[in-house]
Amino acid sequence: MRKLKPLVIIFSLLLSVTTAFSQVGVSAGLSYGYFNYDISGTKYTGDGGVFSLEGQLSPSLTYSLSMSDGKFDDVVLNNSAGSVTYTVLPNIGVHFMASQIKLATVQETDTALGFSYMIDTPNLGMSVFLGSDINSYGKFYTYGTKINLGVTKGSSLILSYKTEDRKQKATTMDARFVYDLSSNLGLTLGYKSTETKNDAGTAVRLKGNTTYAGIVYRF
């Protein structure tokens, strides 16, 4: 089966449903990032941009997209992830996930469909999700959690963790701190780590991190 391209799927969904639903809210972030990766002892360091987009297309439809692009000499890095959630019950939603990482000899792509359980309070937003690889449904799974914690008035800490438990296992962790300058504009500081294992799942194939800082604008 031909593998689906995750970012194409995410963008296609967002563009198509935007015509049917009015946007409730959207938050866009743009940051400068410094990348530090290691592939089997070969180190890659460089810089680039980190872009994020998340919000609602309707009260029951939410989305999240993040992209990191950089360059190490003549080697290009792309680390992207996105999700769309459609709420079918008060705390339960159908959850579609896609991710992709490309750097030198490493090219990992994952698309999964499953469910998420969400909790939303004034100071805490949390979701736990589980899905299976679309190309091998019921064989490989993707699972994780995302937490949005209100630290003080006007600031928040967003933590996320995801494991793509496949033959080539990939794990990502992301921590972001956002400080509001106004009702629309905020500053963000973040750290993201990525690790993928070999085909047997016994040895680390790629390991690295991205440190980034920038701005967030809410429409």
Side-chain angles (χ1 to χ4, degrees):
M1 181 182 292
R2 185 179 178 182
K3 287 188 176 181
L4 301 173
K5 294 183 178 180
L7 292 182
V8 173
I9 296 172
I10 293 293
F11 277 123
S12 297
L13 285 172
L14 294 182
L15 289 175
S16 62
V17 295
T18 300
T19 60
F21 299 95
S22 60
Q23 281 200 341
V24 176
V26 59
S27 174
L30 183 61
S31 302
Y32 166 81
Y34 177 77
F35 311 110
N36 184 4
Y37 283 85
D38 186 314
I39 300 178
S40 302
T42 302
K43 295 187 180 297
Y44 298 90
T45 58
D47 58 2
V50 178
F51 173 74
S52 64
L53 185 70
E54 55 187 359
Q56 292 180 281
L57 294 171
S58 78
S60 59
L61 191 64
T62 61
Y63 63 91
S64 176
L65 175 68
S66 65
M67 301 174 63
S68 301
D69 283 286
K71 195 169 184 180
F72 310 89
D73 296 325
D74 293 328
V75 180
V76 175
L77 164 73
N78 177 266
N79 192 347
S80 308
S83 66
V84 176
T85 303
Y86 182 74
T87 303
V88 293
L89 293 173
N91 296 97
I92 299 175
V94 177
H95 194 64
F96 173 80
M97 300 163 279
S99 65
Q100 177 178 271
I101 180 169
K102 291 183 178 182
L103 175 62
T105 58
V106 176
Q107 295 192 21
E108 300 281 350
T109 300
D110 180 66
T111 51
L113 180 66
F115 296 93
S116 64
Y117 180 79
M118 298 155 286
I119 298 175
D120 192 13
T121 69
N123 295 317
L124 174 66
M126 184 178 72
S127 64
V128 180
F129 52 85
L130 170 67
S132 180
D133 192 311
I134 290 177
N135 295 305
S136 302
Y137 208 82
K139 185 176 181 181
F140 301 118
Y141 292 90
T142 295
Y143 52 89
T145 185
K146 183 175 182 179
I147 300 172
N148 190 328
L149 178 64
V151 180
T152 62
K153 185 177 181 181
S155 67
S156 59
L157 180 65
I158 300 100
L159 305 171
S160 64
Y161 168 87
K162 183 173 75 168
T163 290
E164 297 157 11
D165 195 7
R166 302 164 292 157
K167 189 175 182 180
Q168 297 181 7
K169 187 173 182 179
T171 301
T172 59
M173 291 181 287
D174 193 352
R176 284 183 290 149
F177 178 76
V178 180
Y179 180 78
D180 293 340
L181 298 175
S182 67
S183 58
N184 298 102
L185 187 65
L187 296 176
T188 182
L189 178 65
Y191 177 86
K192 180 178 181 179
S193 66
T194 303
E195 179 182 285
T196 68
K197 293 189 175 182
N198 63 4
D199 293 352
T202 57
V204 173
R205 190 180 181 195
L206 173 149
K207 187 175 183 179
N209 59 75
T210 300
T211 304
Y212 56 95
I215 58 172
V216 175
Y217 189 82
R218 301 179 184 88
F219 296 91

